[in-house]
């Protein structure tokens, strides 16, 4: 099922490029634009806590500097945005990568061009093509996992080309 893997890989590359998915952390200033009053309220709260820390006899400038450094660090961490890179190898894998990437392969649909490439490929079996057409008719689209699962199931039903049998362990 090299054709299906190649189509899925090219579709994943297209999505990664189109959405700027490179796995690198960036500061997302969208919060400041969308919630200016909340940012102002947080600044007022910071000033109020700073005044209390300054006038308290058991806290001094050292505590205030530490509080400010902690606040700046936490604000920077909360504003970080990472767009994870989608990979073919992550489809159907349930491990810690799901926490980072999510199960994107269930919610992302294949483009009409990718579906057409699979349907017009001569090396893809009629069974897979019919099942993809059925999924499109019933669901309205086909997602990455649908195609991946169909190809995986087809691969399991193929006879062993070497003519050898393997024992289960």
């Amino acid at each position: 099922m090299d054709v299906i893997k190649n189509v899925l890989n090219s579709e994943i590359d297209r999505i990664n490029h189109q959405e700027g998915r490179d796995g690198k952390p960036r500061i997302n200033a969208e919060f400041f634009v969308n919630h200016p009053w909340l940012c102002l309220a947080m600044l007022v709260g910071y000033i109020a806590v700073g005044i209390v820390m300054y006038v308290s006899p058991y806290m001094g400038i050292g505590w205030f500097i530490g509080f400010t450094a902690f606040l700046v660090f936490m604000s920077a961490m909360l504003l970080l945005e990472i767009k994870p890179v989608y990979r073919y190898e992550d489809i159907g894998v349930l491990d810690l990568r799901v926490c980072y990437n999510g199960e994107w392969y269930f919610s992302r649909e294949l483009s009409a061009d990718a579906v057409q490439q699979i349907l017009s490929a001569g090396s893809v079996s009629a069974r897979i093509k019919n099942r993809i057409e059925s999924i499109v008719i019933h669901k309205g689209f086909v997602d990455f996992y649908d195609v991946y699962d169909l190809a995986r199931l087809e691969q399991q039903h193929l006879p062993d080309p070497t003519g050898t049998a393997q024992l289960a362990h």
Side-chain angles (χ1 to χ4, degrees):
M1 291 294 114
D2 290 335
V3 172
I4 291 178
K5 184 175 181 178
N6 291 340
V7 169
L8 292 180
N9 272 324
S10 65
E11 188 72 4
I12 289 169
D13 291 342
R14 183 191 62 79
I15 291 172
N16 285 335
H17 180 71
Q18 180 181 9
E19 295 180 0
R21 296 185 166 281
D22 57 4
K24 296 178 183 175
R26 290 184 175 80
I27 298 291
N28 184 356
E30 194 173 303
F31 179 78
F32 295 119
V33 174
N34 292 338
H35 307 286
W37 294 109
L38 181 58
C39 293
L40 184 62
M42 291 181 347
L43 180 62
V44 168
Y46 164 74
I47 291 170
V49 170
I51 290 170
V52 169
M53 289 179 82
Y54 182 73
V55 297
S56 296
Y58 51 86
M59 292 186 171
I61 193 74
W63 283 98
F64 179 71
I65 291 172
F67 170 69
T68 302
F70 174 74
L71 192 73
V72 167
F73 174 74
M74 290 306 295
S75 297
M77 290 293 105
L78 291 173
L79 290 175
L80 278 182
E81 175 185 49
I82 301 173
K83 290 185 177 180
V85 177
Y86 294 154
R87 292 185 175 90
Y88 177 83
E89 295 78 25
D90 295 339
I91 299 176
V93 176
L94 295 176
D95 60 10
L96 288 177
R97 287 177 278 188
V98 173
C99 297
Y100 179 65
N101 294 338
E103 292 180 318
W104 60 270
Y105 40 84
F106 285 118
S107 60
R108 300 302 301 250
E109 60 185 72
L110 253 56
S111 69
D113 292 339
V115 173
Q116 194 55 43
Q117 284 178 359
I118 293 171
L119 294 177
S120 64
S123 62
V124 176
S125 73
R127 193 166 108 185
I128 290 180
K129 291 177 183 180
N130 292 337
R131 186 67 186 126
I132 288 174
E133 289 170 345
S134 173
I135 291 171
V136 171
I137 290 169
H138 290 90
K139 198 162 67 167
F141 64 91
V142 62
D143 59 45
F144 281 86
Y145 190 76
D146 291 334
V147 175
Y148 174 82
D149 194 40
L150 288 172
R152 184 180 55 84
L153 290 173
E154 182 77 14
Q155 193 70 28
Q156 289 176 352
H157 292 301
L158 290 177
D160 185 14
T162 62
T164 59
Q166 292 185 356
L167 296 174
H169 293 264

